[in-house]
Amino acid sequence: MKTDYRKLESDLKELLGLMIDFTDHEVSEVEHFLNVGEYGLAFETLCGIVKEEVRTVSTDGLTMIKELAERMEIDSSWWYDIVQKE
């Protein structure tokens, strides 16, 4: 299956936009990886911030995390406990 990187980047930016309690620094950290095309690192960084800084994730955000992780084939250790705890 061919990956549509524009759609993936758009979806990751949408997910980042749902992280309303991220600090400007945290947003910039994730955006850096998006800007250089490191989508996996952007996703893992976002999830790491959610877990380490105990950020709240909306229902829509949780759905997007799960869908993106499965589409990107991200190891569940990065995201599974986020979607299960909410």
Side-chain angles (χ1 to χ4, degrees), residues 11-22 27 46 50 55-65 68:
D11 290 346
L12 285 164
K13 285 180 179 180
E14 181 181 344
L15 175 60
L16 182 58
L18 293 174
M19 302 297 117
I20 58 172
D21 59 349
F22 271 31
V27 169
L46 184 144
V50 169
R55 301 291 186 224
T56 302
V57 181
S58 68
T59 302
D60 289 342
L62 294 172
T63 299
M64 285 194 79
I65 287 172
L68 282 167

Side-chain angles (χ1 to χ4, degrees), residues 23-80:
T23 66
D24 290 342
H25 177 75
E26 291 165 343
V27 169
S28 293
E29 193 175 350
V30 176
E31 284 177 336
H32 166 75
F33 291 118
L34 290 173
N35 292 336
V36 297
E38 292 288 349
Y39 305 123
L41 286 174
F43 182 86
E44 291 169 356
T45 299
L46 184 144
C47 289
I49 292 168
V50 169
K51 291 194 292 189
E52 291 172 20
E53 304 301 328
V54 192
R55 301 291 186 224
T56 302
V57 181
S58 68
T59 302
D60 289 342
L62 294 172
T63 299
M64 285 194 79
I65 287 172
K66 185 171 190 242
E67 289 174 358
L68 282 167
E70 290 172 350
R71 181 168 42 158
M72 296 171 70
E73 299 179 354
I74 301 286
D75 186 282
S76 63
S77 66
W78 283 102
W79 59 272
Y80 186 80

